[in-house]
Amino acid sequence: MRVYNFSAGPAMLPEPVLARARDELLDWGGSGMSVMEVSHRGKAFVECAAEAEATLRQLMAIPDDYRVLFLQGGAFGQFAAVPLNLAAEGDRVDFLSTGDWSAKAIREARKYVVPSVIADEKPGNYTKAPADGSFQVNPTAAYLHYTPNETIRGVEFGYVPATGDVPLVADLSSTILSRPVNVSKFGLIYAGAQKNMGQSGMCVVIVRDDLLGRARPTTPAVWNYEQMAANDSMLNTPPTFGWYLLGLVYRWVQDQGGLSAMGERNRAKADALYGFIDGSEFYSNPVQPDSRSWMNVPFLIARPELEKAFVAEASATGLTNLAGHRSVGGMRASIYNAMPIEGVQALIDFMKEFERTNG
Ligand code: PMP
């Protein structure tokens, strides 16, 4: 039986995508092989890879002067690859620190650059994004890095920071494809695949042409944007199955009506869940309303000793992975693109019933 999986990632995937992958597993496109068993240099896979990129370009309306790279090492790999590609040793890089993932990105970047945290939400326990215009971007910074959606504490920016001529770099891992985005505001976007796009271990990088060619000579070739762009992300053997799966997910998003339709659905899902939590005395969400994530909804219950029972009972009814991140506790419902509104409604119904019997 399929469950409603509220995991933050690897996360639920659309059922039609999984069914298609299953159907094609033993014989992909009449090859008599799975996609994992064909040459990545063969015509069939090269076309499959190009189609995935073309569909993503269409979905996100990616301008022609941006390259799309399909890399390995997850989003975490980019915590190192971005500074290696975009900044020289000793360069200053601006960071907005809004949660656990931006903090990890800063920690990793510190090996290669001099981080300057120009907005730090840690003192407020990461419960909001900094207000628009409340921080000063240093015009000499090599770039500004931020995390538009913090997966663990569910903090999301309601705006794209203006950085002038300083390239804006965004870790879109947990919000990519959840709604339309204006790519031209960014110098570079990266996103791990396992939330809204597919299989863990892959990372999609969307980078503006003028930022290529700045990599340090010590940059690993598989993370060198210019080299990977020149080789269509096939400098070495790419994760072929993961790339194929991305293509299926992109096509599914297209079938749903693209990012505008996705955005409307995701807003409705988030509104329903936050609306219920706010109307309840038993449940609460600590995040400032204008900074609440559409994708990751953490919540607490008035009697924390019941958390384990909540998670176990929910799981028994087919609502799985509702425990909060191990570093913060509480509960968290991740409601990415593949989570239908029916799943969110089932969660709300369960929460009502749990409150009725335990409140
Ligand atoms: N950034 C964000 C916002 C994330 O949520 C995650 C994973 N949860 C990462 C980076 C790290 O991604 P990966 O595990 O794919 O390296």
Side-chain angles (χ1 to χ4, degrees), residues 178-358:
S178 67
R179 77 206 78 173
V181 56
N182 184 350
V183 174
S184 68
K185 290 191 173 177
F186 301 86
L188 186 145
I189 287 169
Y190 64 95
Q194 67 273 29
K195 300 161 196 303
N196 257 342
M197 297 195 292
Q199 193 188 314
S200 59
M202 290 198 76
C203 191
V204 173
V205 173
I206 302 167
V207 55
R208 208 173 54 218
D209 281 339
D210 65 287
L211 297 175
L212 299 178
R214 304 183 180 190
R216 299 180 200 183
T218 50
T219 307
V222 294
W223 280 345
N224 181 305
Y225 300 147
E226 189 182 35
Q227 285 185 36
M228 280 307 244
N231 287 278
D232 294 327
S233 306
M234 293 196 202
L235 190 72
N236 66 330
T237 318
T240 48
F241 187 76
W243 197 332
Y244 151 85
L245 209 63
L246 286 174
L248 296 187
V249 171
Y250 297 157
R251 229 175 300 157
W252 175 82
V253 175
Q254 218 168 32
D255 291 344
Q256 303 304 301
L259 298 193
S260 300
M262 225 62 251
E264 280 166 31
R265 273 168 56 169
N266 286 326
R267 174 187 279 276
K269 281 152 52 184
D271 281 353
L273 190 47
Y274 286 115
F276 169 71
I277 290 170
D278 287 345
S280 145
E281 299 278 298
F282 189 66
Y283 299 99
S284 62
N285 167 279
V287 180
Q288 187 172 291
D290 69 357
S291 303
R292 284 174 169 176
S293 167
W294 290 15
M295 297 281 101
N296 312 98
V297 183
F299 56 93
L300 299 167
I301 45 183
R303 295 173 56 197
E305 71 277 13
L306 293 176
E307 283 174 7
K308 276 203 169 67
F310 179 97
V311 171
E313 286 174 33
S315 189
T317 68
L319 309 171
T320 67
N321 291 313
L322 281 161
H325 190 268
R326 60 188 187 284
S327 63
V328 292
M331 266 77 63
R332 172 179 51 170
S334 294
I335 50 175
Y336 299 115
N337 284 353
M339 175 63 67
I341 184 81
E342 291 79 12
V344 174
Q345 199 49 57
L347 173 61
I348 292 170
D349 291 345
F350 172 81
M351 289 168 77
K352 278 185 194 156
E353 183 60 16
F354 190 85
E355 177 175 0
R356 197 183 61 78
T357 50
N358 296 283

Side-chain angles (χ1 to χ4, degrees), residues 73-77 79 101 147 149-151 171 173-174 192 194-195 201:
F76 213 116
F79 293 170
W101 287 109
T147 311
N149 184 69
E150 287 281 357
T151 320
D171 173 1
S173 294
S174 48
Q194 67 273 29
K195 300 161 196 303

